Amino acid sequence: MAERLEVLRRQLQNTTKYVDRIDVTPSITSAAVSLDVDPTQYVINNSVLTPEQIASYETNGFLVIKKCVPVDKLELYRKRFQGIANKSVIVPGLLVMRDVAIAKSEFVPGEKAVTKIQDFCYDPVLFEYCALPEVVKYVECFTGPNVRAMHTMIINKPPDPGTKSSRHPMHQDLHYFPFRPAERIVCAWTAMERIHRDNGCLVVLPGTHKGSLQPHEYPDWKGGVNKMYHGIRNYMPDHPRVHLEMDAGDTVFFHPLLIHGSE
Ligand SMILES: O=C(O)CCC(=O)C(=O)O
């Protein structure tokens, strides 16, 4: 509990950062929140989204935009990640997290053990993602203008060492967010390479953004669970699910109550 409070305290203290235009966003995956918009609907009406896209987000709670982020930008972020993971680049304030199973293995030191870099708002190279016009343009469809990047992460998923510790249990991001209103928060998650069922793509339960925030806890997994990878306690395994198979640069925008996870 004390550890969780410390993480939340640090998130509150450290992860907020404005972008010049006062309208920012998420990350390779992150969340953004608007400060001054009427929280009565899921989508702000503007000319960016088609009526079909608006209807789809309202119904399902997520929207995939193909080729949203240019691949040359992703290559830049990938190299930066490698530099940070192998410690040739030091950025104060970043939280570098290691997979619970891989970190213990003497055979895969270094980059492959790093599963996540959190709070990359402190790194000017990675933080550029949050201000990409291609991303911000869509973020504003859900948050409205005057946006703040709140939670920034770059996730690395090496092959599972056999313990399934690379799984991310089904959860709602709002569980981690001590800010509201939920309707004006959106997560942007960009695939950095082709993702599909066999390499751990995101899985979403469409429509669950209309439900409430569920109790979360650490799942009872044999190989252990990565830090802060909480899952929904009463997860509904029979609910229809969609595997989001995406190409590099494709970006999914989703509501913070949408139940999702990955394998
Ligand atoms: O990319 C993944 O593996 C899952 C990430 C995720 O669901 C999250 O961080 O909220």
Side-chain angles (χ1 to χ4, degrees), residues 99-166:
D99 181 275
V100 64
I102 299 175
K104 283 186 202 150
S105 161
E106 57 191 291
F107 304 112
V108 275
E111 179 194 328
K112 285 190 177 160
V114 175
T115 49
K116 196 191 279 189
I117 291 175
Q118 201 156 295
D119 299 342
F120 70 61
C121 50
Y122 293 111
D123 179 29
V125 176
L126 291 177
F127 189 69
E128 184 208 48
Y129 169 86
C130 296
L132 286 178
E134 297 92 331
V135 177
V136 172
K137 166 173 119 172
Y138 287 105
V139 163
E140 289 179 335
C141 296
F142 310 104
T143 63
N146 189 11
V147 180
R148 183 185 290 188
M150 297 297 285
H151 185 66
T152 49
M153 301 186 293
I154 181 162
I155 297 172
N156 180 43
K157 203 169 274 199
D160 193 286
T163 56
K164 300 198 170 166
S165 55
S166 65

Side-chain angles (χ1 to χ4, degrees), residues 143-231:
T143 63
N146 189 11
V147 180
R148 183 185 290 188
M150 297 297 285
H151 185 66
T152 49
M153 301 186 293
I154 181 162
I155 297 172
N156 180 43
K157 203 169 274 199
D160 193 286
T163 56
K164 300 198 170 166
S165 55
S166 65
R167 284 183 299 178
H168 202 127
M170 299 305 273
H171 64 281
Q172 296 165 299
D173 285 352
L174 199 67
H175 166 67
Y176 298 99
F177 298 161
F179 48 86
R180 299 291 186 271
E183 279 65 34
R184 296 283 79 84
I185 301 172
V186 72
C187 174
W189 188 108
T190 299
M192 296 181 73
E193 63 176 23
R194 166 122 187 101
I195 53 155
H196 47 82
R197 288 189 73 159
D198 291 337
N199 69 358
C201 67
L202 275 191
V203 186
V204 299
L205 306 193
T208 48
H209 64 305
K210 295 187 175 168
S212 55
L213 183 58
Q214 314 268 328
H216 286 61
E217 65 190 1
Y218 277 117
D220 188 16
W221 288 349
K222 277 205 181 107
V225 184
N226 286 320
K227 275 221 172 89
M228 297 301 288
Y229 276 36
H230 300 159

